[in-house]
Amino acid sequence: MSAHEAAAVDGADGADARDFWAAAVADEIEARNPDEPIVIKGGVSPSGVAHLGNFNEIMRGYFVAAVLRERGYEVRQVFTSDDRDPLRKLPRKLADVDGDIVGLGDVDAGALGRNLGTPYTDIPDPFGESESYAAHFAALLKADADRLDVPVEMLSNTELYEDGTFEDVVAHVLEHADEAREVLSAYQSKVDEDYVPFNPICGECGKITETVTEVDLDARTVEYVCTDMTVGDETIEGCGHEGTATLREGKLPWRFEWPAQWQVLGVDFEPFGKDHAEGSWPSGEDIARNVLEIEPPVPMVYEWFTLNGEALSSSQGNIVTVVEMLDLLEPEVLRYFFALNPRKARDLDISRLDQLVDDFDRFERAYFGDVDDESVTAFAERAYPFVVDEIREDRVRLPYTFAAVLGMTDDRDLRIEMARNEGYIDDDTPEWAIEEALERVDRARAWAVREDNAYNYRIQDALPEVDFDENVEAALDELADFVAAGNDGEAIQGEMYETARRNDIEVGDFFEAGYLLFFDQPQGPRLGEFLGELDTEFVVARLRRDG
């Protein structure tokens, strides 16, 4: 089996490649006889750039929701911004309202530096546009979801605390503090008899504090002291203020907050990364059953994907955003990436993005019965309707690298003629299909520029100013005759060597002459193969220096 075939097959979960993982999860949810609407949740702390890794849970939840809706269920997909968390360290990069990544030097970084230890919703937006840093981050994720047509409802933890949604569950945890401490001690050190599972917001400096000195359940208040917070090797200083906070003026620690979300939102399913599987999920499951007395939702652990062979990391700057990816790929190709088996680790190598697009194109052809592989076809039949906005068999998909070749010219007519010559477009191709096909050209062009790869060249629309020796001109005329005879790119590549030798020209000099004619540069892609992709009449005329 080829690498491309394996990529399509591993989209299914388990040994039987006929299964679509989202359908298997939907089966688990159905088996519990859930009330409607079925609630699917994801969540993230708004700590930095909203990148493709943050989007994992939204897309995993989307496919499960889509399967359940297909089965006739009402589904509510929510995504919580854990925005009452305190800012613990400064991010290296941020993203502006359009999703473009910027450094801290491009914004009011002081707005962040002055607010370490403060909830994200109480930190000014460093771009000066949204009501808070948290609102800015959440808006980016919502915009990304809209770009991929994912109907997700964004929820703010801060709002859930402030409007009282969390108040009863917070009171319940504090009422059962002994049980809470006992359960938590199995997962977290330093849980002594003075530990209180509630973190008030200091009324003086606005920072989160972890020191509660007294709880009044009747008044639903706590007494606290604003003490220091340790973050790694750093200390965020508290102001020492002693005060009173209501149960709406603080937050549960994360290990309690997560199962509290399950309770107040009625969550039936939540996907999460393997980091939570090894830490927060076991404690959350225990707390749900033995402190909150609820059943935890159906879980699904997904593997992280790497980017260009390295872990996604906002702090290290190894990130890519949905906006960036949609500059390079159609939305359906990005959806396809997330439709693949989430339990298998994979790498998103931007330099080899053509392979991902090739895999998608094969997946699409398999849905329409044009791939002779039963397992790939079975996966496509199940997953493809959830990947595309509309099923249309007469779409035209230009191979990504060929689209990158077309991107070397801005001449729309030349692009169409080249695609026609290669058999991708004919007289029966509808205009809408041609327009959609050409959209891939602009994306492939953006990829070539971003990666500065072999396709990052521009065909000169007009004949460059060139001055060749007579033997070079004779050789170019011979090559023009060879191209006019209908030879393909591989044959043209070989003929260039033979033509140079026949005319007593250094091979490198002859290729340089060709590059100057077409690119006005002394170097470029594999020229013969490239010329085989272009319109024959155009190539012949240019080789003869006719324009």
Side-chain angles (χ1 to χ4, degrees):
M1 178 182 295
S2 71
H4 290 339
E5 291 170 331
V9 171
D10 75 19
D13 181 32
D16 185 353
R18 296 172 182 272
D19 294 334
F20 179 32
W21 60 268
V25 172
D27 291 343
E28 289 186 65
I29 297 170
E30 274 193 298
R32 292 192 176 189
N33 297 315
D35 295 331
E36 294 185 66
I38 296 174
V39 177
I40 292 173
K41 192 186 91 67
V44 69
S45 181
S47 56
V49 175
H51 57 70
L52 202 61
N54 300 137
F55 217 64
N56 251 321
E57 290 177 28
I58 290 179
M59 292 308 299
R60 307 308 184 189
Y62 160 75
F63 284 112
V64 175
V67 171
L68 288 168
R69 290 187 180 112
E70 183 191 47
R71 297 179 183 181
Y73 290 98
E74 181 185 355
V75 181
R76 181 189 183 202
Q77 184 179 357
V78 301
F79 195 80
T80 56
S81 176
D82 299 334
D83 51 19
R84 190 155 266 193
D85 291 358
L87 174 65
R88 297 177 180 273
K89 62 180 180 180
L90 295 182
R92 287 192 178 184
K93 295 182 178 181
L94 297 171
D96 64 21
V97 68
D98 297 318
D100 297 323
I101 296 176
V102 300
L104 289 185
D106 298 317
V107 300
D108 179 10
L112 298 176
R114 292 188 297 270
N115 284 283
L116 290 173
T118 302
Y120 290 107
T121 39
D122 293 334
I123 299 173
D125 175 13
F127 293 91
E129 296 170 344
S130 298
E131 61 188 49
S132 69
Y133 178 88
H136 173 82
F137 184 94
L140 292 180
L141 280 176
K142 183 62 170 67
D144 286 344
D146 292 343
R147 290 182 180 101
L148 290 175
D149 294 325
V150 176
V152 64
E153 180 183 349
M154 304 299 295
L155 299 177
S156 161
N157 263 2
T158 293
E159 291 180 5
L160 295 177
Y161 280 109
E162 289 179 346
D163 68 14
T165 300
F166 271 126
E167 188 170 2
D168 286 345
V169 70
V170 171
H172 179 91
V173 170
L174 294 178
E175 183 180 356
H176 297 84
D178 290 339
E179 294 96 319
R181 282 189 283 266
E182 181 179 354
V183 170
L184 186 62
S185 63
Y187 306 94
Q188 185 173 303
S189 59
K190 299 181 181 179
V191 179
D192 56 25
E193 61 183 13
D194 295 325
Y195 174 82
V196 177
F198 186 70
N199 303 145
I201 299 173
C202 177
E204 184 69 21
C205 69
K207 294 178 182 178
I208 294 285
T209 182
E210 299 173 348
T211 304
V212 174
T213 56
E214 186 177 339
V215 175
D216 186 338
L217 287 174
D218 292 331
R220 293 201 165 189
T221 60
V222 300
E223 304 293 322
Y224 66 86
V225 178
C226 184
T227 54
D228 295 348
M229 178 189 301
T230 301
V231 179
D233 296 330
E234 303 294 327
T235 298
I236 299 174
E237 294 183 356
C239 70
H241 175 71
E242 298 181 16
T244 303
T246 71
L247 302 191
R248 300 187 182 194
E249 298 171 331
K251 71 181 297 294
L252 291 166
W254 164 244
R255 289 183 186 270
F256 291 92
E257 188 173 75
W258 196 19
Q261 290 174 341
W262 301 338
Q263 178 170 332
V264 300
L265 297 174
V267 178
D268 296 292
F269 166 67
E270 180 156 5
F272 47 85
K274 62 181 181 180
D275 54 335
H276 286 326
E278 298 162 358
S280 303
W281 170 257
S283 65
E285 191 177 27
D286 201 346
I287 289 168
R289 290 195 173 105
N290 296 305
V291 179
L292 302 184
E293 299 176 345
I294 63 168
E295 188 66 19
V298 172
M300 187 193 77
V301 180
Y302 58 79
E303 277 283 344
W304 297 327
F305 62 85
T306 53
L307 176 66
N308 304 326
E310 302 290 338
L312 281 163
S313 172
S314 295
S315 61
Q316 298 301 316
N318 191 45
I319 52 176
V320 66
T321 65
V322 170
V323 170
E324 288 180 297
M325 291 306 300
L326 292 180
D327 283 339
L328 311 177
L329 299 171
E330 296 102 328
E332 54 266 36
V333 180
L334 190 54
R335 291 192 206 102
Y336 165 76
F337 177 77
F338 285 109
L340 298 172
N341 184 0
R343 295 179 177 89
K344 179 177 179 178
R346 66 186 74 252
D347 182 53
L348 180 62
D349 186 345
I350 305 297
S351 69
R352 298 312 311 270
L353 214 55
D354 54 309
Q355 292 184 345
L356 174 62
V357 179
D358 288 347
D359 291 340
F360 167 79
D361 289 350
R362 188 170 188 270
F363 164 78
E364 184 171 61
R365 292 195 306 273
Y367 178 80
F368 294 110
D370 295 332
V371 173
D372 187 19
D373 188 310
E374 186 178 347
S375 57
V376 175
T377 299
F379 170 56
E381 286 177 347
R382 196 69 194 90
Y384 180 76
F386 306 125
V387 168
V388 295
D389 290 330
E390 183 180 3
I391 298 173
R392 303 180 77 166
E393 188 171 359
D394 46 357
R395 278 193 173 97
V396 174
R397 300 289 189 187
L398 303 174
Y400 197 64
T401 52
F402 178 67
V405 170
L406 300 191
M408 295 182 189
T409 176
D410 290 328
D411 188 329
R412 181 180 183 277
D413 292 336
L414 180 56
R415 288 178 175 183
I416 293 174
E417 188 62 30
M418 290 163 65
R420 187 183 301 276
N421 289 343
E422 291 298 313
Y424 298 112
I425 293 173
D426 58 33
D427 292 340
D428 295 326
T429 305
E431 185 63 27
W432 68 263
I434 294 175
E435 290 304 316
E436 282 194 6
L438 292 179
E439 289 177 8
R440 176 172 286 184
V441 175
D442 293 331
R443 290 182 164 97
R445 174 64 191 164
W447 170 67
V449 172
R450 176 188 173 112
E451 295 301 305
D452 192 21
N453 57 27
Y455 302 95
N456 188 20
Y457 295 93
R458 300 294 279 176
I459 299 172
Q460 298 300 300
D461 294 332
L463 177 66
E465 293 185 11
V466 291
D467 184 16
F468 300 129
D469 293 338
E470 289 184 6
N471 61 336
V472 172
E473 290 185 341
L476 290 170
D477 289 337
E478 287 182 26
L479 184 62
D481 293 338
F482 187 83
V483 173
N487 291 287
D488 64 15
E490 185 177 351
I492 297 170
Q493 181 77 8
E495 180 64 17
M496 291 192 70
Y497 288 88
E498 297 301 321
T499 303
R501 295 186 185 105
R502 285 195 305 269
N503 289 273
D504 196 25
I505 304 170
E506 289 289 336
V507 170
D509 291 342
F510 189 48
F511 272 91
E512 180 177 323
Y515 290 133
L516 288 171
L517 276 175
F518 288 91
F519 304 114
D520 199 18
Q521 294 186 34
Q523 60 185 10
R526 284 177 61 85
L527 188 58
E529 295 178 7
F530 170 73
L531 297 182
E533 301 281 4
L534 298 179
D535 174 61
T536 300
E537 291 184 9
F538 171 79
V539 173
V540 171
R542 183 58 58 90
L543 289 172
R544 291 176 175 156
R545 285 85 64 209
D546 290 338

